[in-house]
Amino acid sequence: MKFIKLVLLFCLFLNFTFLSNAQTPSMIKGDAIYLNPYKGNDTNAGTKESPLKTLSEAAKRVNKASGVGTITVYLSSGIYGMNETADFNPVNQKFTKTNRLIIRAEILPDDISWSPSDMPILISTMSFSVEKDDKGQVTGGQNFGILIQNSHATIQGLRVLGEPVHENPSKGMLIRNYPIVWEGKDLEDLRITQCLFLGDKFASPNHLGVLASGKALEVDHCVFYGVKDAVVMWKNPASNASMHHNLIINSYGGIVWTWSATNDFKFYNNVISNANVLWILDKDEKESFLIENSIIVGYNSYVNKGGGAHGFGENANPEKLKIAKDVILKKEGKLEIIEDQTDKFYLHIKAGTLGSNLGAGLFTK
């Protein structure tokens, strides 16, 4: 009888252990993690056949990795509600310039079968941290969508929205969503490419596409449409940074903030239309910058200095921006944009019109 009881207890123990292991998220299998917002589950293995559901869970799996080598997070098409920050902080995984952390769409814009509806859509639904002034009065709040705390990372092929909130709920208060944030010490090499940042200042404000603090930031072949601020470099000497082949339309903030950028910052083959402020320098106007082979049509302010979340600073010395001979700069006017959502070139410059020859937009081929 005692023997039978021992056997039964042993069987129960094995069954409990099996169930516990089955319900515990596994480590990364291989070098890839797959996501599907409809078929996925965050208790799954994260394989193509058994995908995760959320990007935040993918970040937690990456953060458990240990070793050297590329890790790629693949997002299938669909809508990803970001109810918490996807915080990538893999302290035990070593990435390099060639062995990277890659967060990308399964189907990229240069694929023959790609259409705009294939882009994975990220929209923030998370709460905001509370910010108070010296008197204890609430002045606003912020949240981060994707937070990258490591070097050598690429984000590619995503459609990134803001958050459907009231950006200015009361006088002096500002709440804002930062979809992609690069934050940490001594970071180097972040590339944001072939991403579509979409916003509407009334329905779904997208406050700032890319907030970066590190060296060798590269933002290329992205479209920023209706976004308040496109790119802000705000901490550390941001040397060897670049923005090229981007299309920026209807910005109601500042196109690029070079608070921490050094004068080797490269800005070329960008097309800009209907901008509020073209460029914002740090308050001391320490550096000068060169604009090359770009088209800028329609802007309110040319170059400002200072500013912050609540404002765009004041007029700066216009000679701090050097304009190459191959740049078209017009204060008034607008460019022709394709608004047909069934067109592969949706939200791009209409072929044969001003700005269409510079290769700005989602396509590299």
Side-chain angles (χ1 to χ4, degrees):
M1 191 70 178
K2 288 183 178 179
F3 176 75
I4 294 174
K5 288 183 177 180
L6 286 172
V7 171
L8 289 172
L9 287 171
F10 182 68
C11 290
L12 286 171
F13 172 76
L14 288 177
N15 189 48
F16 175 78
T17 303
F18 173 79
L19 289 173
S20 297
N21 289 337
Q23 293 172 0
T24 301
S26 63
M27 297 293 285
I28 297 170
K29 296 181 178 179
D31 58 0
I33 301 175
Y34 288 85
L35 277 66
N36 188 302
Y38 308 127
K39 299 177 182 178
N41 191 303
D42 281 347
T43 62
N44 284 349
T47 62
K48 190 173 181 63
E49 298 75 24
S50 180
L52 303 180
K53 183 179 181 67
T54 67
L55 190 55
S56 57
E57 177 59 29
K60 294 170 186 174
R61 303 286 180 97
V62 171
N63 294 345
K64 294 176 182 178
S66 178
V68 180
T70 295
I71 297 176
T72 304
V73 179
Y74 292 96
L75 286 77
S76 68
S77 61
I79 301 172
Y80 294 82
M82 304 282 288
N83 61 7
E84 65 176 313
T85 299
D87 184 356
F88 289 87
N89 188 18
V91 295
N92 295 316
Q93 179 75 14
K94 181 176 175 56
F95 296 108
T96 67
K97 190 172 181 64
T98 54
N99 295 314
R100 310 176 66 80
L101 169 64
I102 302 172
I103 304 164
R104 54 157 286 183
E106 275 196 82
I107 306 174
L108 295 173
D110 288 330
D111 292 346
I112 295 175
S113 63
W114 182 89
S115 73
S117 61
D118 290 323
M119 299 188 89
I121 299 170
L122 276 59
I123 182 166
S124 177
T125 59
M126 70 184 80
S127 60
F128 292 84
S129 62
V130 175
E131 296 176 335
K132 296 182 179 181
D133 61 16
D134 295 338
K135 298 179 182 179
Q137 296 177 323
V138 176
T139 58
Q142 64 179 19
N143 63 34
F144 297 166
I146 301 175
L147 174 60
I148 305 293
Q149 299 195 64
N150 60 279
S151 297
H152 310 302
T154 298
I155 300 176
Q156 185 174 16
L158 308 182
R159 176 172 172 165
V160 185
L161 308 184
E163 183 158 353
V165 295
H166 210 82
E167 196 172 22
N168 298 108
S170 62
K171 188 174 182 179
M173 184 181 292
L174 178 68
I175 59 175
R176 59 223 185 262
N177 168 249
Y178 299 106
I180 297 177
V181 178
W182 192 32
E183 171 73 6
K185 185 179 180 181
D186 300 323
L187 297 181
E188 184 174 0
D189 181 20
L190 172 67
R191 185 184 183 198
I192 313 295
T193 183
Q194 295 186 296
C195 289
L196 169 60
F197 295 85
L198 271 175
D200 181 278
K201 67 184 295 185
F202 303 112
S204 181
N206 197 333
H207 185 85
L208 200 171
V210 180
L211 179 64
S213 58
K215 301 175 182 177
L217 170 71
E218 182 178 17
V219 180
D220 69 283
H221 290 282
C222 291
V223 174
F224 298 84
Y225 191 97
V227 175
K228 188 174 186 179
D229 306 311
V231 177
V232 173
M233 290 164 278
W234 74 306
K235 283 185 180 179
N236 304 319
S239 59
N240 195 29
S242 64
M243 282 182 67
H244 60 92
H245 295 92
N246 299 292
L247 176 60
I248 308 171
I249 308 294
N250 298 344
S251 165
Y252 62 102
I255 298 298
V256 57
W257 301 56
T258 51
W259 280 354
S260 64
T262 51
N263 60 13
D264 59 356
F265 174 60
K266 296 177 176 60
F267 189 94
Y268 62 93
N269 281 74
N270 296 299
V271 176
I272 298 166
S273 181
N274 191 27
N276 181 33
V277 184
L278 174 59
W279 204 290
I280 301 181
L281 306 168
D282 74 293
K283 63 180 180 180
D284 297 322
E285 301 176 278
K286 293 191 296 291
E287 305 285 2
S288 297
F289 299 96
L290 174 65
I291 298 177
E292 297 180 282
N293 199 33
S294 295
I295 294 175
I296 301 162
V297 176
Y299 59 91
N300 293 324
S301 295
Y302 179 55
V303 57
N304 285 7
K305 61 181 178 179
H310 290 267
F312 310 114
E314 57 187 359
N315 291 339
N317 180 1
E319 294 184 1
K320 287 292 180 177
L321 289 189
K322 310 298 182 182
I323 305 298
K325 292 181 179 179
D326 54 10
V327 172
I328 295 175
L329 180 66
K330 297 181 178 181
K331 190 157 193 319
E332 305 295 334
K334 63 179 182 178
L335 303 178
E336 294 187 50
I337 307 298
I338 297 172
E339 297 182 351
D340 179 1
Q341 294 187 358
T342 66
D343 195 306
K344 183 174 183 176
F345 295 94
Y346 172 57
L347 296 184
H348 285 69
I349 302 294
K350 185 177 179 181
T353 67
L354 182 62
S356 64
N357 63 322
L358 294 187
L362 299 178
F363 307 100
T364 64
K365 297 178 182 179

